[in-house]
């Protein structure tokens, strides 16, 4: 029983962290967001909603400057004020912003948004358990090995999720009559947009597939659907 204690403690820690992270995320988003009311973007959202046979898709503006989009564990979709500002300045089109919303809808529909919160907590628990066990045999470097292994696992999961959300978004945009061209054009300009905002990379560029690989995957999908 004593041998299992570190693992049980790590699992308990992961559960507590999950509950706390979910509560803190919801509180932060509630305090710093408002529902998107832009008429042009509402039109685009309505097109996506019709393609999904939904009465409405609600999108919120998260009041932070970095260019980003995100799906909350509770299923809500957000674009940041910084991203919306790029649209207002004409640097991002309504179709391109719709591709971001479609991508985040993919994360919700495929269960990524909620699972990521669980994965984050689980990875912390796994890191703690591995560090405790490895440190017994490899004092000093056990923690480093545990961190490296859990980071590799997190990156692998993240890359898989992004490809799946890209595929979902491509299919939804095609069904809505928008097509995948805005999805591709946004990827092509996204790194430049984020550099203009002080180098704050959006979530899908951090530990995620290379932009060129994602574009190629979307183009391959489009060609297969046209065949």
């Amino acid at each position: 029983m004593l041998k299992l204690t570190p693992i049980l403690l790590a699992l308990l820690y992961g559960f507590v962290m999950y509950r706390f992270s979910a509560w803190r995320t919801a509180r932060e988003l509630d305090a710093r967001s408002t529902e998107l009311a832009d008429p042009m973007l509402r039109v685009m959202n309505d097109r996506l909603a019709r393609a999904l046979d939904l009465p409405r898709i609600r999108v919120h503006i998260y009041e932070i400057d970095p260019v980003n989009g995100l799906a909350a564990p509770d299923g809500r979709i957000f674009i940041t004020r910084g991203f919306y500002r790029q649209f207002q300045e004409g640097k991002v089109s309504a179709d391109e912003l719709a591709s971001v919303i479609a991508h985040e809808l993919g994360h919700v529909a495929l269960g990524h948004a909620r699972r990521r919160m669980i994965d984050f907590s689980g990875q912390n628990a796994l890191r703690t358990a591995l560090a405790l066990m490895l440190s017994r045999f490899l004092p000093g470097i056990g923690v480093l090995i545990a961190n490296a292994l859990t980071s590799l696992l997190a990156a692998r999961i993240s890359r898989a999720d992004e490809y799946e959300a890209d595929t979902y978004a491509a299919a939804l945009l095609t069904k809505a009559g928008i097509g995948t061209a805005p999805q591709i054009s946004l990827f092509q300009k996204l790194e430049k947009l984020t550099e203009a905002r002080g180098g704050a990379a959006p979530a899908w560029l951090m530990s995620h597939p290379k932009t060129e690989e994602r574009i190629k995957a979307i183009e391959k999908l489009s060609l297969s659907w046209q065949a």
Side-chain angles (χ1 to χ4, degrees):
M1 181 66 183
L2 290 176
K3 293 181 179 180
L4 295 176
T5 299
I7 297 176
L8 294 174
L9 288 174
L11 291 174
L12 178 61
Y13 170 73
F15 175 76
V16 172
M17 283 300 297
Y18 165 71
R19 298 291 296 180
F20 176 72
S21 297
W23 171 80
R24 185 175 61 181
T25 298
R27 184 179 180 185
E28 164 73 9
L29 293 174
D30 288 343
R32 301 187 63 185
S33 67
T34 54
E35 188 172 349
L36 177 66
D38 187 284
M40 187 178 297
L41 294 179
R42 284 286 294 274
V43 170
M44 302 304 298
N45 289 342
D46 288 343
R47 292 178 67 178
L48 296 177
R50 286 194 296 271
L52 292 171
D53 294 324
L54 295 174
R56 184 183 177 191
I57 293 174
R58 291 188 177 184
V59 178
H60 299 78
I61 294 183
Y62 182 26
E63 297 292 344
I64 60 174
D65 284 335
V67 173
N68 210 340
L70 63 99
D74 60 11
R76 287 181 294 171
I77 304 298
F78 296 82
I79 58 172
T80 63
R81 175 63 66 180
F83 219 150
Y84 181 58
R85 192 176 294 119
Q86 299 297 313
F87 166 72
Q88 291 177 308
E89 295 174 358
K91 297 176 182 177
V92 172
S93 70
D95 288 359
E96 289 171 336
L97 211 49
S99 76
V100 177
I101 294 168
H103 179 92
E104 299 305 330
L105 285 169
H107 282 311
V108 173
L110 297 169
H112 298 163
R114 183 177 294 275
R115 196 191 72 203
R116 281 180 174 182
M117 185 69 73
I118 297 173
D119 286 346
F120 173 76
S121 303
Q123 286 156 21
N124 282 336
L126 178 61
R127 181 183 291 109
T128 301
L130 281 175
L132 287 171
M133 288 187 293
L134 291 175
S135 293
R136 293 180 179 181
F137 306 100
L138 301 168
I141 63 171
V143 173
L144 296 178
I145 295 174
N147 287 339
L149 289 175
T150 50
S151 294
L152 286 173
L153 174 63
R156 186 181 183 88
I157 293 172
S158 180
R159 285 193 292 269
D161 284 357
E162 293 310 308
Y163 277 124
E164 289 180 3
D166 285 348
T167 300
Y168 181 97
L172 176 55
L173 291 165
T174 299
K175 185 177 181 181
I178 299 170
T180 59
Q183 195 178 11
I184 293 171
S185 63
L186 181 63
F187 276 133
Q188 291 170 336
K189 67 174 67 171
L190 201 52
E191 290 186 26
K192 184 177 180 180
L193 289 175
T194 55
E195 287 172 2
R197 301 304 305 173
W204 60 69
L205 292 182
M206 298 169 64
S207 301
H208 288 184
K210 292 181 180 179
T211 301
E212 296 80 6
E213 294 175 358
R214 298 175 74 175
I215 290 175
K216 288 180 181 178
I218 294 168
E219 290 175 336
K220 185 177 180 179
L221 279 173
S222 296
L223 289 173
S224 68
W225 292 333
Q226 294 171 9

